[in-house]
Amino acid sequence: MNFDLSEEQQILVDSVAKFVANDSPVERFRKLRDTERGWDPSVWARMGEFGWLGVAYPEEQGGFGGRFVDLALILEQLGRGLVPEPIVPSVVLAGGLLSKLGSDAQRERFLAPMIEGRTSLALAYAERQSRFTPHDCRTRAERRGAGWVLSGEKTWVLNGHAADQLVIVARTAGDPLDREGLSLFVVDGDAPGLERIRVPGMDGQRSALVRLRRVEVGAERLLGPAGAARPHLEWALDRAAAAACAEGQGEIQELFDRTVAYLKQRVQFGVPIGSFQALQHRAADMYAETELCRSTMILAAIAADYEDADERQAEISAAKLQLSRGGWFVQENAIQLFGGIGVTDEQDEGLFFKRLRVLQGLFGDADWHVARYQGLRGFASEA
């Protein structure tokens, strides 16, 4: 398969890399991680002006008609600078569902301002007991007149602390573990009865615990048909897993490049430690795992546009497994080769290490994706 970038994709990659180098190096992340929001609305607005937030949306929805792989190339470069703006929760998760299921009026009201960088979004789907099973949902929506009343609690809502609107997954029919009966509602961040508790993560980024105490919404806030959200939710989470692989690839590449540079710079016994054959072998193995991560990431990004769920999930689960296993190999060896300083907060390498650990667990960890792959159509006959 040809992985060469088109001329347009190379221009896009170069522009994002230039932005990271000049406007968003790791030092910016260090400053933002101590703030309440954790990211900068003015930078978000610039991303909207650059067109990055709309690159994978159809032109008739205000986007640029690109493919998911174009967005993945942007995320890969942003990962190299630990850029914290909420592209995955806004563009991939909530924005993706608005694009797919929203009416023209809903897209105009909620999606268009986000594409322009004027607002941000979040998807609230996880609950305390649900782990990686999105249909394990106890949050309920009950009819009240023409509208709905939402009650329940959501955990680990990415950008939930700052989003202008949240797309809430609630059960409108069935029991907590039923696969059907899920619906999606767009709720304003300041809606009466909605409580958002900011939760700092180990990687310096933010999520939120969201409580809904009889939050009332009108019928126009229902996204798509009532009770039919489950396959669309799984589609959005698959694409988010592919996005995590893309961002993680940028961080793995950055960690590998920094390690090789350190091996050439650090002198011991009068020579650079990179001249020792044992360390050269270690670096060669890290290079191989980094390239495997990149190959599987690109395949996952291509597959993110597949309509067939089994084909899409096979490539994305394979990439997520490689991000976890191969990415961990690069991480642990980078920390070991840097020695004790690699785990100190003063060294940027530790920040990449922490962010990768979070990405490896987001949207399904390695064990979950292996189990899912084993259940896909055709696995038994291929094994």
Side-chain angles (χ1 to χ4, degrees):
M1 182 172 287
N2 181 11
F3 285 166
D4 292 342
L5 302 182
S6 67
E7 182 179 352
E8 291 79 10
Q9 288 174 326
Q10 190 60 59
I11 292 172
L12 179 64
V13 168
D14 291 344
S15 67
V16 181
K18 183 178 179 182
F19 166 81
V20 171
N22 295 336
D23 300 308
S24 191
V26 177
E27 288 75 17
R28 188 175 80 89
F29 168 73
R30 284 185 176 277
K31 294 176 182 175
L32 287 170
R33 68 175 177 164
D34 295 325
T35 65
E36 186 171 329
R37 178 183 290 267
W39 55 273
D40 186 348
S42 68
V43 171
W44 185 247
R46 287 180 65 194
M47 290 180 172
E49 293 172 3
F50 294 155
W52 297 349
L53 307 183
V55 71
Y57 292 121
E59 293 181 16
E60 60 271 22
Q61 295 180 13
F64 287 84
R67 296 175 299 161
F68 189 86
V69 71
D70 300 319
L71 180 60
L73 293 172
I74 293 173
L75 284 166
E76 180 184 5
Q77 294 305 313
L78 295 180
R80 299 196 67 152
L82 293 172
V83 177
E85 273 64 32
I87 289 184
V88 174
S90 285
V91 177
V92 180
L93 286 170
L97 289 167
L98 276 163
S99 172
K100 189 173 188 181
L101 299 175
S103 64
D104 289 343
Q106 287 172 327
R107 291 178 189 138
E108 181 66 25
R109 183 174 180 182
F110 304 120
L111 183 62
M114 189 279 292
I115 290 176
E116 296 169 3
R118 293 188 285 117
T119 63
S120 70
L121 305 171
L123 172 68
Y125 67 96
E127 300 187 359
R128 291 177 186 268
Q129 80 291 342
S130 65
R131 195 163 167 72
F132 303 126
T133 306
H135 59 265
D136 186 355
C137 176
R138 297 179 182 175
T139 298
R140 301 200 69 91
E142 299 173 345
R143 284 194 180 277
R144 180 169 182 173
W148 300 84
V149 178
L150 280 62
S151 301
E153 183 180 275
K154 298 293 183 182
T155 58
W156 303 115
V157 183
L158 303 177
N159 195 44
H161 66 296
D164 295 277
Q165 283 89 32
L166 295 87
V167 175
I168 306 287
V169 181
R171 184 167 292 286
T172 51
D175 296 322
L177 282 171
D178 286 351
R179 290 176 61 81
E180 307 307 328
L182 298 180
S183 300
L184 302 168
F185 297 89
V186 183
V187 176
D188 289 335
D190 58 355
L194 183 73
E195 180 186 13
R196 303 191 286 179
I197 301 173
R198 183 171 56 89
V199 180
M202 64 172 278
D203 57 349
Q205 298 211 16
R206 306 284 185 276
S207 62
L209 172 70
V210 175
R211 293 195 177 105
L212 301 112
R213 295 189 173 93
R214 299 192 64 76
V215 174
E216 298 185 22
V217 296
E220 77 283 0
R221 296 299 184 112
L222 175 64
L223 196 57
R230 195 260 309 161
H232 307 294
L233 178 60
E234 291 178 351
W235 168 84
L237 293 172
D238 283 343
R239 290 162 69 90
C245 293
E247 184 196 326
Q249 170 59 28
E251 283 144 9
I252 290 169
Q253 186 69 56
E254 185 70 18
L255 204 49
F256 172 71
D257 290 347
R258 286 169 179 253
T259 304
V260 170
Y262 181 73
L263 294 179
K264 293 178 180 178
Q265 169 205 341
R266 177 83 164 90
V267 174
Q268 191 67 274
F269 306 117
V271 296
I273 61 174
S275 63
F276 302 146
Q277 191 174 44
L279 299 191
Q280 291 173 358
H281 288 171
R282 189 84 63 89
D285 290 340
M286 292 170 67
Y287 172 79
E289 293 295 341
T290 301
E291 288 300 302
L292 278 172
C293 286
R294 178 166 176 74
S295 298
T296 54
M297 178 276 285
I298 292 175
L299 283 173
I302 294 171
D305 286 328
Y306 290 173
E307 289 298 325
D308 185 286
D310 278 14
E311 292 183 8
R312 181 181 70 238
Q313 291 174 359
E315 298 294 355
I316 291 173
S317 283
K320 200 64 168 45
L321 179 63
Q322 177 60 25
L323 176 71
S324 297
R325 302 268 171 92
W328 173 250
F329 181 86
V330 176
Q331 287 172 262
E332 66 175 349
N333 279 285
I335 293 297
Q336 187 176 29
L337 291 172
F338 267 94
I341 63 171
V343 296
T344 61
D345 192 67
E346 290 77 8
Q347 289 290 120
D348 291 343
E349 290 71 27
L351 303 180
F352 287 96
F353 182 92
K354 292 173 186 173
R355 179 58 181 163
L356 275 166
R357 291 304 285 164
V358 170
L359 291 174
Q360 287 160 352
L362 273 177
F363 317 118
D365 60 15
D367 290 343
W368 186 86
H369 278 284
V370 168
R372 184 172 82 163
Y373 195 100
Q374 290 174 332
L376 296 177
R377 182 182 66 233
F379 175 78
S381 59
E382 294 172 0

